[in-house]
Structure formats: C-alpha cells, structure tokens
Amino acid sequence: MADAQVLYNETVAATTAASTAWVDLASIPAASFTANKTYLIIANQVCNHASAAQATRVRLVHGTTPTVFDDASLAYEGLNAAQKHELSYMFLYTQPATTELVKLQISSSSTTTVTNFLSQIIAIKLSDDFASGTDYFWNEDLTDYTMTATPTAKATTASFTPNGTDRWLFIGHMIYDVVGITTQIGFELYDSVAGVLNQTSQEGEDGTLDFLGHNQYWVGVPTNAARTLAVRPWNSASAVMLASRVIAINLSKFAQSASTFDAAEVAPAIAPTWTTVATIAPTPTVTGDWVYISFLNQDVNTTACDFVTRLQVNPSGAGLVSDPDFGTTEIPNTDNWDATDEVALSFFKLRSLSSGGARTINFDVTTDASVSRRVEDNGLVAFSVALA
C-alpha cells in the first residue's frame, strides 16, 4: 500500500539564544518537500528564559530569507526564571515551485539567555492523497478580532457529516495579542453538534510583549450528523485574536489508527512516580512509520505549579522508551501565570513501529507535592503513515 508523505524534525538539545539574533532549531529542509503540494504543518516550541523581566521570542518561518508565517512571531514574559512554556502553531502551507525549508527559531528580547527544551515540526502532505471537502475540512480567519466575554466562532469549517463509524482528528489553533494581564484569555474547540470538545485559557504576564499561540485537540468517532467545527475565542478585557485555524481529518484515510480521549480531571502522582493519563496499543499489520500525538490541559489551581510529562512507546516489543528522548530530563511546563489557568500542552512524534504485536504508547504526568493540581482533556492518537 502507498504511504502518505510525512516529514518530521526535532531539537531536544539545550540550544540557547542570548541576543535578539535568531537561532535555528527544528528544521525540515526544502529538498524534503514536494513542489506545489499542500502540507499540514504543526509545530511546538518549549523554552525558558533566565530573566523573568525579559521576553522569550519564537517564530515559525519558511525559506532561506526567511519569511515568517502569518502572525507567527510570538513572545512571552515568564513569571519567573524557572518557568518553561510551550508555544504551538498549525498552518496549511502550499509549497512554491521552488520548495522552501520550514523551521523554528528562538531569540531573546535582550542579552539574557533563552534555552530550548523541545523544538518539533511535523508536515503531512494532504495533496494527492486527501480530498479537501471530503477527507479533511479546513478554515482559517486572519482578521484581527477584539474578543468579548462571549465565546464567538471565528475559523469555522464548512458543514460535514461523518458516517458514525470513522475516527476523526479535530485540531483548533489560535494566535493572540494578550493586551491585558489580569483576566483569562481562552478559546474553545467547538462542535456544533457535540458542543465544547476542548478548551484552554490563561493570563498573560506582559500586555505589550506577550503574543501567544496554542493548539487544542479532540479525537474520536463523531456521530452521523451534519456539523461544523469552530475555534471560539473569549476574553473580557479586549485581547485580540490575530489568527485562528481549524481542521477536521478523517483518519480512515490511513491504513490503521488508534486513539483515546477523556475530559475527566486526573490528579497526577507526586514525583518520582508517574501517572499514565492516556494510553493506546495499536497492532501494526506491517512494520512502518506511525505518527503519534499526545495532548492535555493543565488545570493548575496554583501559580507555583510543577508538572512534568513524558511520551513513551514500545516500538518493537522490547519495552518502553521515551520518545522524544530527553534522557533524565523529561518535558516540563511549570509555574503558570494564574491559579485559574488551564494551559494546553501537546507533543508528537514520527517513529517506526514493528509488526508482530501490540505497541503500547503512554502519555505520563508527574507533579510535586500539591494535591490540587489536575490535568484534563487527556488524549492520545496514533495513525500509520501507510494509507488505506
């Protein structure tokens, strides 16, 4: 069977930036792409900053010049020097006749040091193998929108009707200008039939410097009913949505897939004990590459919050390994801005899984001694690169 073209790159080394000059991290070279083809691009960047008074800057770019994707220059000021935070992107990008690289870059707003913990990009070619309006539904809204306290649909797909048996992956994305720093800013991934599927919100730290971007996921088998999927931002203090995007993908286009999603709150174990908040165990019919994506929201209940996560896989039956592999330092996302924050966190990977048995994939979380901290909307999805 044919394979979809899926490209992946990551940087887990502690690469640093200590000036306003941009430092390259995860990058997919131009030669890997196919000219004139459309790709779904998802990217994550986790950093911290040695100064709580300066901004971490992140951008997603294409081409050697380079050119920044629409509204993709992001920045945030941390609550303290230990805080590690994730910024995320989602774009539909059609490569030109002369293909261009796609990469993440970081820099500092001053001479204090920004340190990379995770930088990752995945690109899935939709052209040829996936029909727009049948196999996937996409929309984006690039008009600046001053939010109100009422969730309001912005990027919204055309109406589509799942057959009630196929598994679908829904993703929403928003980039926004914080403006005010004393109220929650959030968005919902909203299904016109099922209602709110997932939601995230947080305060900013600097009303001038903070420009944030997050992704929200849902995976499962939607009912056989006509629906639209939308990103619905909200804020009571005039934060500005710069861009929103939404996509629904029918995973039956791939030869195999597996998923789990649970909206319930889970209290993670105290370090060094791990709690598995999502697990799946697909059985590959042939050895080959799989994409797996993990996601959750941190319902912190405190600003002094230390969560640590890891994504583990048993690729060949020999046992679980962390992948992305950070050695003894797994993915932290710590010390949020406000006790009411519900911060989105997601990771993904492209890896070969061997046939011959179930291949367990776990999404694990641990925290410090506080009993009030929760994670919710925990999910995990995996699908073969091989097409149906």
Side-chain angles (χ1 to χ4, degrees):
M1 63 187 70
D3 286 355
Q5 185 188 28
V6 181
L7 309 172
Y8 177 81
N9 188 250
E10 67 181 34
T11 300
V12 296
T15 306
T16 60
S19 73
T20 57
W22 291 99
V23 174
D24 293 347
L25 290 169
S27 179
I28 299 177
S32 298
F33 291 99
T34 304
N36 304 311
K37 302 300 182 181
T38 299
Y39 291 81
L40 173 66
I41 295 174
I42 304 173
N44 293 324
Q45 181 66 57
V46 180
C47 295
N48 84 328
H49 202 303
S51 170
Q54 304 297 329
T56 296
R57 305 196 306 169
V58 177
R59 68 182 189 179
L60 183 69
V61 302
H62 57 91
T64 54
T65 307
T67 301
V68 181
F69 281 85
D70 289 330
D71 299 306
S73 287
L74 306 181
Y76 71 91
E77 186 176 296
L79 188 67
N80 58 57
Q83 185 177 40
K84 301 172 182 69
H85 187 61
E86 180 179 76
L87 298 173
S88 299
Y89 299 95
M90 180 174 73
F91 288 92
L92 217 59
Y93 179 59
T94 300
Q95 283 283 353
T98 301
T99 57
E100 298 182 328
L101 63 81
V102 175
K103 64 183 176 183
L104 281 161
Q105 298 178 308
I106 61 170
S107 69
S108 173
S109 63
S110 66
T111 57
T112 49
T113 301
V114 174
T115 301
N116 167 71
F117 285 85
L118 172 67
S119 176
Q120 57 179 180
I121 304 172
I122 195 164
I124 302 172
K125 182 168 72 70
L126 298 180
S127 295
D128 306 323
D129 300 318
F130 299 82
S132 175
T134 301
D135 304 319
Y136 73 94
F137 296 82
W138 162 270
N139 189 247
E140 68 177 353
D141 188 333
L142 300 179
T143 302
D144 290 1
Y145 165 69
T146 300
M147 303 178 203
T148 70
T150 302
T152 302
K154 303 313 291 181
T156 305
T157 66
S159 179
F160 63 101
T161 306
N163 63 11
T165 59
D166 289 345
R167 178 180 289 111
W168 286 72
L169 175 62
F170 297 162
I171 313 173
H173 173 235
M174 183 172 77
I175 293 175
Y176 59 99
D177 181 355
V178 167
V179 181
I181 62 172
T182 59
T183 59
Q184 296 297 109
I185 307 166
F187 76 92
E188 302 169 343
L189 181 59
Y190 185 81
D191 182 315
S192 62
V193 173
V196 177
L197 300 174
N198 209 336
Q199 63 84 36
T200 180
S201 69
Q202 69 180 81
E203 286 188 4
E205 178 66 15
D206 188 301
T208 301
L209 296 177
D210 284 4
F211 293 84
L212 305 180
H214 303 295
N215 289 334
Q216 285 279 278
Y217 297 82
W218 180 88
V219 64
V221 179
T223 59
N224 179 213
R227 71 195 64 222
T228 58
L229 191 67
V231 166
R232 304 204 312 179
W234 56 270
N235 170 250
S236 60
S238 302
V240 178
M241 184 202 82
L242 303 177
S244 60
R245 298 171 178 88
V246 65
I247 193 168
I249 306 173
N250 188 342
L251 295 182
S252 72
K253 289 296 294 183
F254 299 98
Q256 292 183 265
S257 68
S259 68
T260 183
F261 176 82
D262 192 345
E265 289 188 338
V266 176
I270 297 170
T273 304
W274 294 90
T275 296
T276 298
V277 298
T279 184
I280 53 177
T283 301
T285 55
V286 296
T287 298
D289 285 343
W290 284 63
V291 174
Y292 44 95
I293 304 171
S294 61
F295 54 94
L296 57 76
N297 290 316
Q298 299 175 150
D299 188 1
V300 296
N301 297 307
T302 176
T303 54
C305 175
D306 291 321
F307 282 110
V308 181
T309 63
R310 69 182 182 186
L311 187 54
Q312 292 204 307
V313 61
N314 184 349
S316 62
L320 290 165
V321 295
S322 292
D323 197 14
D325 182 8
F326 298 87
T328 58
T329 305
E330 302 302 332
I331 295 287
N333 201 52
T334 61
D335 297 320
N336 291 287
W337 286 266
D338 182 83
T340 59
D341 286 354
E342 297 184 7
V343 181
L345 191 65
S346 61
F347 309 110
F348 47 78
K349 184 70 181 192
L350 175 69
R351 181 171 183 139
S352 179
L353 303 183
S354 65
S355 61
R359 302 300 173 221
T360 300
I361 305 170
N362 290 340
F363 190 30
D364 299 335
V365 182
T366 187
T367 187
D368 58 20
S370 173
V371 296
S372 65
R373 299 164 196 186
R374 302 287 186 269
V375 292
E376 61 189 24
D377 303 311
N378 308 298
L380 189 57
V381 59
F383 50 90
S384 65
V385 168
L387 295 165

